Amino acid sequence: MTKLITLLIVINLFFSCSKRNDIKSKPVSPMPDTLATGWSRVLMNDDFFVDIYFINDSIGYMAGTKGIYRSSDGGKTWNKIPNIGEGYNIAATANGKVFIVAPDIHSIYQSFDNGNTFSELMDNAGDRISDIYFTGNDTGYIPAGANNLLQSLNGGVSWQYVKLITGLSLGGSGLYTPFFINQTTGWISDGETIFRTNGSISSWVKCGFVSNPASSINNTNISIFAPTSDIVYIGTSDLSHAIIYKSVNGGKDFYLTGSLDSNNPGYVDIHFTDVNNGYVSANRKIYQTTDGGTTWKNVVSLGESNIIEIHFTDANHGWACGNGTVLIYKK
């Protein structure tokens, strides 16, 4: 598989502003961790962990630049999956399917037996694959190339290109951060614009903003999360703050709902457990809101290690990963 130096070159070329860029930097002045009640930290090896995904309170997967890992005890311990190299993004289903975006960005590792065995799904068209997203056991989506979208309706056994009627007419920057509620409602970014479906996944329109978004919205450093078809959140950043936008009309308009202090926040991830309760990670910090983004409080501050990704299965169970680190939340 690709060695670390090659991976970093690929990252710089194709994901210059995305979360993969942020795994390279390490803090130089370690300080004590500050963890709110319910949070704990598990120190791992020297891997850079860039994605974490749990299918229930016990079984989860984590992607790093040196391998893919599986936990069966809620993240307390992890075992490296043999014969699989680096990974970028993970999707998994409740019935045991696991999908991992491979480092050569033209293929996906796929498992249909709870991660025990994997095969490689190649994109024969040579499109660049950046992410994968499943809405349930059967329906999945893969952004491919500059303006292509693949859909599976049989749990990843087969994939078809979505015939686009309107929207997603992009210049070549690629598609990132898909988020779907169902087969007709979803959002995606091309690094400069947020798009939303317009009645079907074949028809897309641009999302609007009540006021001009921060200049930092114009990069691939964007995360999207929608607890309902109407309420949608966008996470992005500038040099000193994690910036959160919210829509209450399905993305027709977004307004600023949070500017969270974080020195060089890098990739900002966002996850809500319901319309009011959510979390944002930025650099070494995690923030929590209990009122739909109106106010935020800092619940995790690490003395060292960047936080790259967060994931929750419900309000009582959550995880985050970063440089050699796994964070566990259990209420």
Side-chain angles (χ1 to χ4, degrees):
M1 293 305 299
T2 310
K3 293 183 179 179
L4 180 57
I5 184 66
T6 305
L7 174 62
L8 295 179
I9 293 173
V10 171
I11 291 169
N12 286 331
L13 287 175
F14 296 106
F15 297 101
S16 59
C17 296
S18 68
K19 70 180 179 183
R20 293 81 182 168
N21 228 23
D22 307 309
I23 62 177
K24 300 183 297 181
S25 60
K26 287 188 176 181
V28 296
S29 301
M31 298 177 65
D33 298 337
T34 302
L35 306 178
T37 301
W39 288 94
S40 60
R41 183 180 180 185
V42 178
L43 294 177
M44 298 287 289
N45 54 31
D46 61 348
D47 204 341
F48 297 113
F49 301 113
V50 296
D51 201 7
I52 191 165
Y53 195 102
F54 273 74
I55 62 174
N56 55 44
D57 299 344
S58 300
I59 299 174
Y61 300 87
M62 187 163 57
T65 59
K66 296 183 179 180
I68 309 300
Y69 302 78
R70 184 180 189 273
S71 175
S72 58
D73 59 5
K76 296 177 183 177
T77 61
W78 296 84
N79 294 312
K80 192 173 184 179
I81 297 175
N83 304 318
I84 297 292
E86 306 98 314
Y88 286 154
N89 287 305
I90 300 174
T93 64
N95 64 349
K97 302 182 182 73
V98 186
F99 304 88
I100 302 166
V101 177
D104 66 6
I105 65 176
H106 295 296
S107 62
I108 289 177
Y109 299 118
Q110 57 183 2
S111 173
F112 298 100
D113 58 3
N114 296 290
N116 292 313
T117 60
F118 280 86
S119 60
E120 193 168 8
L121 171 67
M122 296 294 297
D123 178 20
N124 295 325
D127 289 327
R128 174 161 55 96
I129 297 172
S130 63
D131 209 342
I132 183 168
Y133 189 90
F134 270 77
T135 61
N137 289 331
D138 298 320
T139 304
Y141 299 91
I142 298 174
N147 57 357
N148 291 319
L149 186 66
L150 293 166
Q151 181 189 46
S152 176
L153 299 177
N154 56 10
V157 175
S158 61
W159 297 84
Q160 295 79 38
Y161 279 95
V162 175
K163 185 177 181 180
L164 298 175
I165 300 172
T166 59
L168 301 188
S169 180
L170 313 177
S173 58
L175 295 173
Y176 305 90
T177 319
F179 194 100
F180 289 84
I181 292 289
N182 51 45
Q183 293 183 23
T184 61
T185 306
W187 302 263
I188 202 166
S189 170
D190 69 347
E192 297 179 355
T193 305
I194 309 297
F195 295 87
R196 61 181 176 87
T197 51
N198 188 30
S200 76
I201 61 167
S202 296
S203 179
W204 295 77
V205 294
K206 293 180 180 180
C207 294
F209 288 83
V210 173
S211 58
N212 291 330
S215 59
S216 59
I217 201 76
N218 296 318
N219 56 51
T220 57
N221 180 14
I222 295 170
S223 60
I224 302 172
F225 196 95
T228 71
S229 59
D230 292 322
I231 299 177
V232 191
Y233 293 89
I234 295 173
T236 184
S237 66
D238 58 21
L239 293 178
S240 58
H241 292 82
I243 300 169
I244 311 302
Y245 293 95
K246 179 179 181 179
S247 174
V248 295
N249 55 16
K252 293 179 181 179
D253 296 295
F254 282 90
Y255 63 89
L256 182 67
T257 191
S259 182
L260 312 177
D261 181 57
S262 182
N263 182 39
N264 190 23
Y267 181 74
V268 175
D269 198 25
I270 187 167
H271 195 119
F272 273 71
T273 58
D274 57 46
V275 294
N276 292 315
N277 295 282
Y279 296 84
V280 165
S281 64
N283 197 352
R284 304 179 197 174
K285 295 182 178 181
I286 296 178
Y287 290 88
Q288 180 187 19
T289 181
T290 58
D291 55 14
T294 302
T295 60
W296 298 84
K297 65 177 180 179
N298 183 207
V299 292
V300 171
S301 292
L302 298 185
E304 56 182 333
S305 297
N306 294 350
I307 301 168
I308 306 299
E309 192 86 8
I310 54 176
H311 180 79
F312 283 74
T313 53
D314 56 43
N316 299 322
H317 299 86
W319 299 264
C321 67
N323 294 13
T325 293
V326 174
L327 289 162
I328 302 173
Y329 176 76
K330 186 175 182 180
K331 190 172 181 180

